[in-house]
Amino acid sequence: MDAINKIYSSVSQTVSTLSAVFLGNPLTKDYDIAEHIGSAGTEFVWKIYTGSKRSTKEPASIFVFDKKQLEPFTKDEREEICENIRRGVVQLTKIRHPQVLTVQHAMEESRDTIAFATEPVVASLANLLGNTTNVSNMGLLSEYKLSEFDTKFGIFELIKGIQFLHDEAQLVHRHLCTENIIVNRQGVWKLFGFGFCWSKRAPGTPVANHYFKSRLLGNPGSKWTAPELILENSCNDSTDIYSLGILIYTIYSRDNIPSPDASCDLYGYKQSVTKLSNQGPPKLTAIPETLRAEVKKMLSVNPQARPTLQSLIQISYFCDNYVQCLDNLETLFPKDNLEKSEFYKRLAQIIGDFPHRVRLYRILPLLVKEFVNCSMIPFVLTNILTITASCTRAEYMQHISSHLRPVMLLDEPVQIMLIFFQNLEVLLKVCPSEEIRASVLPLVYKALESKSQQIQELCLSIIPSVVVHLDKSTIKSGLVPRIKTLCSGTNLVSVRVKCLLCLGQLASKIDKWVMIDDIVSYLPSVNCREPAVIMAIVGVYKVSFTTDGLGIPKDVLACKVLPHLFPMTIVNGLSLQQFNAIIALIKEFTRKIEEEQGDKLGSKTSISASASSSSLQDKQSTPQQSESFGGSSSLGFGGSDFYSDFMQSSTTATSKAAPQPVQQRPISSPLQLKPLQAQTTLNWNVPPVATTAKENSIKYNLFTQQQNSNTMQNRTKDTPLALPPAPQPAIAMPMMSSAPMPSNMWMNSNGSSLTTKKLELTSPANNNPYGQLQPLIPTPSQTSQTSAKSSASSPMLSKEDIMEFLQK
């Protein structure tokens, strides 16, 4: 809460101060004025504020002269001072040159202030050298440091600006000093303070210098003025050269030349300038050696001994590559493409040696002008991306992003896209995630659809570094489908391999289901006749299988992956190492299936075994049931086996004894079976359950022939014929719950009785105990067993007919 209160009080104080300063000035109608950042002009009579134009939001700087500074002076002096102030602003507005401060809005005057708007500036050169008189905010000034190149090129620009004044504008500035040099936002040194400038005249023309006799606010100081102007009232081109020499000395030594004020001690001033001309300033060694001799000449009392501006520009101090390169860059735009292309190639070799502020604020604005010429874009783009590499994210978004976005959408020339991808790491470093999705990602999409192999491969190689800044939905719906389309559509093995490797590198950036559904499931459709493509596919499978959080389910391994991998092992061209790698991966996948499926089936088996054990204990709880199942269980049959009687030897015969009634048992009770004899031969070839009537008849005849001799001698006339049961599997014999029926007794050869079994043959249509045997052997009538032979129309056979049939 205290911090909020401090901010509120600071803002309120600033607003109230600005309201008091600009009260009634018409400039406030068109411009919003912010903070106070610097001061300028002789004795720092101008305050500099930041601001912006209300209609266009264009940044600007506001220069304000507060008339409260005139209170110590008389009315006439006030008027004279204001007149000099107005003259300087009007003259500044008339001059248009790169080294002259640009005025955006003409001077506006109110009762309390005089103000005008200019291009955005940092401060005066005096402020940057440490003199902060009439400055309330030191934040920006403390961060701005002049480099050696800034100083060298700044002086070079001042010389060109003064040369323009003398040759083109026909003006002599007469008041060059650090307070009248303004440094703008781009770092360009600009001329200011034209209140005492004078039109060039013929040599010997006298000039009034009364302001040195009575010093007024804003008048030029004698320490910056050439001696001839004070002592002889003459003015020429060399007057500004002397002032420039004092300016250079002050910049390098950060000190003023000790000199008395001419308005107070004219004799002492004359001795001081004579000594300065003969011996030079005391800290002359602070000036660079290649410039030192020229500065000493510039401070000569004799105007003819001073060097000209043209000769100063050509000295070795200003002839290094960096100064000449930056100077030529500012005049390069109108030249032909061939000359410009050669220049930009040379610039690319040295642009990294320029100070960052120079690259960002001086070189970059000149380079982006070439974007209107498409043929020049590849040459300037390399230099711009070099500048981008040293920018912060805020600087990129403010100064570069808006220029590069339209260029990223261009298809021609193709070198543009190639340069972007070669320097894409630079863009990813300075672009926020939103900017990557808005500008870089469309560039990636366009490269994947390009027809150039080099661009496709370069794009695929940098995609893994791009996806770090993308969300998963963008990767799934935008990036992966385009990579798959390129992989399927290209005929180049190198591009297909890079597509697969790129898909594998996306594994750690996407969800498991996306990896399985969109990538793993896609791999079987890839043309994999080349060993390089095969190994790339194997790599994708391995990455998908081993990456934490992913993995491939066993059903996908069994149904899709392994059927895809096995044919790869026999592809011609594989080396032994590649073959072993595929086999090792197959074994790893098989082991996973074995472990997971084995564990799954093992758990089911244990559950089933426990259930079976419980059921068996229930069955063994009845002793009678255990005894009745003893014989058959040893053969692997359950106690409910209805076919056990037919496992005995075929030599068994029927008994002569009369049918014995069989004791009725409950349905649920198992049949009592006699243990098999030792000589019993088991017939394990059990025919199918569903047999035809013909098969039943054949089996019946074979059985009858074997038993014929024994059966006939033991049979009595009064005993009804007992048909032998059909082979066990031929007829279904469910247990019948009806009342007991007379059963047939089977006898062995010595007449002993075998186990009596109830023969229950049930037909689905009726209760005929012979069931499916009826087509072969008619059923004997229960009501006519003791009667004679039936009539011919009756379907039933008599006992005699059956006996006769059996004898045959």
Side-chain angles (χ1 to χ4, degrees):
M1 192 65 183
D2 294 338
I4 296 176
N5 292 333
K6 289 181 180 180
I7 295 174
Y8 177 77
S9 60
S10 176
V11 172
S12 301
Q13 183 178 359
T14 302
V15 172
S16 61
T17 302
L18 293 176
S19 300
V21 170
F22 292 95
L23 183 62
N25 196 296
L27 192 68
T28 57
K29 297 179 181 179
D30 298 325
Y31 285 84
D32 293 321
I33 303 171
E35 57 182 341
H36 179 201
I37 59 171
S39 57
T42 306
E43 301 185 56
F44 302 99
V45 295
W46 293 97
K47 290 183 178 182
I48 305 175
Y49 293 84
T50 59
S52 61
K53 193 170 184 178
R54 289 185 176 178
S55 59
T56 61
K57 302 301 179 182
E58 182 183 4
S61 291
I62 312 300
F63 284 70
V64 180
F65 173 73
D66 190 356
K67 292 182 179 180
K68 290 183 179 179
Q69 301 177 76
L70 303 177
E71 293 179 356
F73 300 95
T74 64
K75 182 178 180 181
D76 293 339
E77 291 175 338
R78 292 176 186 174
E79 185 60 31
E80 184 178 351
I81 294 172
C82 288
E83 185 61 28
N84 292 333
I85 294 290
R86 297 188 191 100
R87 185 186 307 115
V89 178
V90 172
Q91 189 64 57
L92 179 66
T93 306
K94 294 178 180 180
I95 302 174
R96 296 291 181 181
H97 191 265
Q99 269 60 58
V100 177
L101 185 64
T102 303
V103 177
Q104 290 185 358
H105 190 91
M107 178 184 62
E108 298 284 357
E109 185 174 0
S110 66
R111 187 183 63 179
D112 298 322
T113 58
I114 298 175
F116 64 99
T118 68
E119 60 182 305
V121 303
V122 177
S124 65
L125 182 60
N127 293 153
L128 298 178
L129 293 175
N131 190 340
T132 57
T133 303
N134 207 12
V135 180
S136 60
N137 188 356
M138 296 295 297
L140 184 60
L141 295 177
S142 61
E143 298 176 358
Y144 197 99
K145 304 296 181 183
L146 289 173
S147 65
E148 181 181 355
F149 182 82
D150 289 331
T151 302
K152 179 186 292 188
F153 198 73
I155 295 172
F156 179 80
E157 288 178 315
L158 288 180
I159 294 174
K160 292 179 63 177
I162 296 170
Q163 189 176 14
F164 166 77
L165 289 179
H166 293 176
D167 297 341
E168 303 295 335
Q170 296 294 307
L171 292 175
V172 178
H173 191 280
R174 294 204 306 164
H175 195 194
L176 292 175
C177 60
T178 55
E179 294 93 329
N180 285 332
I181 306 299
I182 306 297
V183 180
N184 70 358
R185 291 282 181 86
Q186 285 72 40
V188 182
W189 291 15
K190 303 269 188 169
L191 294 172
F192 176 68
F194 289 87
F196 297 91
C197 67
W198 194 264
S199 299
K200 289 181 65 174
R201 307 199 182 171
T205 304
V207 179
N209 284 322
H210 63 279
Y211 48 81
F212 289 108
K213 298 177 181 178
S214 57
R215 287 282 290 125
L216 297 177
L217 182 67
N219 285 0
S222 58
K223 63 180 180 179
W224 298 100
T225 306
E228 67 272 13
L229 188 59
I230 299 176
L231 300 175
E232 301 175 4
N233 293 333
S234 64
C235 178
N236 51 44
D237 294 350
S238 63
T239 300
D240 287 340
I241 296 176
Y242 181 91
S243 300
L244 181 62
I246 300 294
L247 179 66
I248 294 173
Y249 174 81
T250 303
I251 291 171
Y252 281 104
S253 66
R254 302 296 175 95
D255 193 10
N256 294 324
I257 295 178
S259 175
D261 188 358
S263 61
C264 301
D265 186 2
L266 186 59
Y267 179 74
Y269 169 78
K270 184 176 180 180
Q271 287 184 331
S272 176
V273 296
T274 303
K275 181 180 178 180
L276 181 65
S277 175
N278 296 331
Q279 300 179 2
K283 295 182 179 180
L284 190 62
T285 55
I287 302 174
E289 184 177 358
T290 54
L291 184 61
R292 193 178 303 162
E294 298 300 324
V295 171
K296 188 175 180 179
K297 293 179 183 179
M298 293 166 70
L299 298 178
S300 175
V301 176
N302 183 7
Q304 283 74 27
R306 298 168 190 163
T308 63
L309 295 174
Q310 186 64 33
S311 63
L312 285 175
I313 291 178
Q314 296 176 356
I315 63 176
S316 59
Y317 180 72
F318 299 115
C319 290
D320 68 345
N321 292 333
Y322 303 102
V323 173
Q324 295 299 320
C325 178
L326 189 56
D327 181 49
N328 292 334
L329 182 62
E330 294 180 344
T331 60
L332 188 67
F333 186 75
K335 297 181 180 180
D336 61 273
N337 289 345
L338 180 60
E339 187 175 358
K340 288 193 290 186
S341 63
E342 293 296 330
F343 175 82
Y344 290 133
K345 290 179 182 178
R346 294 194 300 270
L347 176 63
Q349 300 174 359
I350 64 173
I351 191 172
D353 299 330
F354 285 95
H356 173 64
R357 187 188 303 111
V358 175
R359 293 198 299 262
L360 185 61
Y361 293 102
R362 301 293 298 273
I363 299 178
L364 178 65
L366 299 174
L367 294 179
V368 297
K369 291 181 179 179
E370 293 290 351
F371 282 165
V372 298
N373 186 357
C374 292
S375 59
M376 285 291 102
I377 292 179
F379 298 98
V380 300
L381 188 58
T382 302
N383 294 293
I384 292 176
L385 292 175
T386 303
I387 298 172
T388 304
S390 60
C391 290
T392 63
R393 183 167 293 182
E395 289 174 340
Y396 173 80
M397 295 302 297
Q398 180 179 358
H399 301 284
I400 304 178
S401 174
S402 59
H403 299 294
L404 288 186
R405 276 192 181 186
V407 179
M408 290 180 180
L409 302 177
L410 297 177
D411 295 325
E412 295 293 338
V414 71
Q415 290 85 358
I416 295 176
M417 196 177 299
L418 186 62
I419 293 172
F420 270 123
F421 283 115
Q422 290 174 342
N423 298 271
L424 193 61
E425 292 183 0
V426 173
L427 293 176
L428 297 178
K429 177 183 176 182
V430 297
C431 289
S433 299
E434 297 78 9
E435 181 67 14
I436 292 176
R437 289 192 293 269
S439 59
V440 177
L441 192 58
L443 181 66
V444 172
Y445 290 164
K446 186 167 63 175
L448 292 176
E449 299 169 358
S450 173
K451 297 180 181 179
S452 172
Q453 175 186 357
Q454 185 179 6
I455 291 178
Q456 290 174 347
E457 293 183 359
L458 192 58
C459 177
L460 291 169
S461 64
I462 56 88
I463 282 179
S465 58
V466 176
V467 297
V468 178
H469 306 276
L470 304 178
D471 56 275
K472 294 182 178 180
S473 62
T474 303
I475 298 174
K476 176 187 178 299
S477 60
L479 201 56
V480 172
R482 285 175 169 84
I483 298 175
K484 290 163 57 179
T485 301
L486 176 59
C487 183
S488 301
T490 184
N491 294 323
L492 301 173
V493 175
S494 60
V495 175
R496 184 176 291 119
V497 170
K498 285 187 176 295
C499 287
L500 294 171
L501 295 178
C502 184
L503 291 175
Q505 290 173 321
L506 298 179
S508 59
K509 310 296 188 304
I510 58 180
D511 294 326
K512 178 178 180 179
W513 63 273
V514 176
M515 189 68 188
I516 295 173
D517 294 345
D518 293 350
I519 297 180
V520 174
S521 300
Y522 163 75
L523 295 179
S525 64
V526 178
N527 187 355
C528 54
R529 292 175 294 180
E530 298 291 335
V533 178
I534 291 176
M535 298 314 298
I537 293 174
V538 170
V540 177
Y541 279 140
K542 189 172 183 63
V543 168
S544 305
F545 185 74
T546 58
T547 301
D548 294 337
L550 294 181
I552 306 178
K554 65 178 185 298
D555 55 339
V556 177
L557 289 176
C559 300
K560 295 182 179 180
V561 178
L562 289 177
H564 186 212
L565 286 176
F566 273 112
M568 294 181 183
T569 58
I570 59 173
V571 172
N572 295 330
L574 286 178
S575 65
L576 179 60
Q577 184 179 5
Q578 293 171 339
F579 172 78
N580 291 334
I582 300 174
I583 292 297
L585 188 63
I586 291 175
K587 291 180 178 179
E588 189 174 357
F589 289 168
T590 306
R591 190 180 305 112
K592 175 182 174 65
I593 297 174
E594 179 182 0
E595 292 175 356
E596 293 188 4
Q597 190 67 11
D599 294 342
K600 178 180 178 181
L601 296 178
S603 61
K604 288 185 177 181
T605 302
S606 62
I607 295 174
S608 175
S610 61
S612 300
S613 176
S614 175
S615 175
L616 183 60
Q617 290 177 1
D618 294 341
K619 291 181 179 180
Q620 292 179 350
S621 60
T622 307
Q624 296 179 354
Q625 293 177 353
S626 300
E627 294 177 359
S628 63
F629 282 93
S632 60
S633 297
S634 63
L635 298 176
F637 294 96
S640 60
D641 185 4
F642 299 107
Y643 313 111
S644 298
D645 291 345
F646 294 95
M647 296 295 179
Q648 297 183 4
S649 175
S650 59
T651 59
T652 306
T654 58
S655 177
K656 287 184 179 181
Q660 301 270 338
V662 180
Q663 184 179 359
Q664 184 179 0
R665 294 186 300 269
I667 296 176
S668 61
S669 176
L671 298 176
Q672 299 294 331
L673 301 179
K674 180 179 178 179
L676 297 176
Q677 301 295 331
Q679 70 275 10
T680 300
T681 301
L682 300 180
N683 180 15
W684 292 97
N685 297 322
V686 181
V689 175
T691 57
T692 62
K694 184 176 181 180
E695 292 173 344
N696 290 337
S697 176
I698 294 172
K699 293 177 181 179
Y700 172 78
N701 293 335
L702 291 175
F703 179 79
T704 305
Q705 291 176 6
Q706 295 176 1
Q707 304 297 329
N708 187 33
S709 60
N710 295 331
T711 302
M712 294 301 296
Q713 64 184 358
N714 294 326
R715 189 181 301 276
T716 61
K717 294 182 179 181
D718 298 332
T719 304
L721 179 63
L723 294 177
Q728 176 184 350
I731 304 173
M733 296 182 296
M735 299 296 294
M736 297 183 62
S737 60
S738 59
M741 296 178 61
S743 61
N744 296 315
M745 184 72 67
W746 288 87
M747 306 294 290
N748 58 14
S749 59
N750 56 6
S752 61
S753 175
L754 294 174
T755 303
T756 302
K757 181 177 180 180
K758 180 180 178 181
L759 183 60
E760 297 175 348
L761 305 177
T762 305
S763 175
N766 49 41
N767 293 328
N768 186 358
Y770 295 97
Q772 296 180 5
L773 295 180
Q774 184 174 355
L776 296 178
I777 304 176
T779 305
S781 175
Q782 296 181 358
T783 59
S784 59
Q785 290 184 3
T786 59
S787 64
K789 188 177 180 180
S790 303
S791 62
S793 61
S794 174
M796 307 304 292
L797 296 179
S798 65
K799 180 172 63 179
E800 289 78 3
D801 294 334
I802 295 175
M803 292 296 296
E804 185 180 6
F805 173 80
L806 293 177
Q807 290 176 0
K808 292 179 180 180

